[in-house]
Amino acid sequence: DPLVLSIDRAGLLYVNIGDPDVPQAADRILEIASAALRREPERPVLVKADRAVPYGRVVEGMVLLQQAGAKKVGFVTEPLSAGRGSGSR
């Protein structure tokens, strides 16, 4: 299973290891992710963020994961709903 860092609308961080419903401090995320990636260095690493989260907060999450040893960080995305994303800009 991939390691997933979730960022909610308030900017709180969650990780899908341990209790995924409890927000974690950045230093705790770093500890959890580091341990998981030491055990499984090729484990996929993903970020899932509420669309209301400022881009800078998402980047902070990505940096944490890279500091923990993630070689690549991907994004969990949701498909655009019908009618969105089509047409002219």
Side-chain angles (χ1 to χ4, degrees), residues 30-43 67-69:
L30 187 58
E31 289 173 13
I32 293 168
S34 294
L37 292 168
R38 275 194 303 274
R39 285 191 304 271
E40 195 178 346
E42 298 303 317
R43 184 178 199 160
Q67 289 174 339

Side-chain angles (χ1 to χ4, degrees), residues 1-14:
D1 288 349
L3 185 154
V4 180
L5 174 70
S6 299
I7 308 171
D8 71 8
R9 180 174 293 266
L12 297 175
L13 304 173
Y14 301 81

Side-chain angles (χ1 to χ4, degrees), residues 2-88:
L3 185 154
V4 180
L5 174 70
S6 299
I7 308 171
D8 71 8
R9 180 174 293 266
L12 297 175
L13 304 173
Y14 301 81
V15 68
N16 66 331
I17 297 172
D19 190 342
D21 297 323
V22 175
Q24 303 290 337
D27 59 343
R28 183 69 181 129
I29 295 285
L30 187 58
E31 289 173 13
I32 293 168
S34 294
L37 292 168
R38 275 194 303 274
R39 285 191 304 271
E40 195 178 346
E42 298 303 317
R43 184 178 199 160
V45 178
L46 302 171
V47 173
K48 179 180 180 182
D50 186 283
R51 67 183 327 144
V53 174
Y55 181 72
R57 185 64 171 153
V58 176
V59 171
E60 289 171 9
M62 293 176 67
V63 168
L64 276 175
L65 295 170
Q66 290 171 335
Q67 289 174 339
K71 295 176 182 139
K72 294 191 305 183
V73 178
F75 289 98
V76 176
T77 60
E78 295 183 18
L80 292 173
S81 60
R84 293 194 48 186
S86 59
S88 62

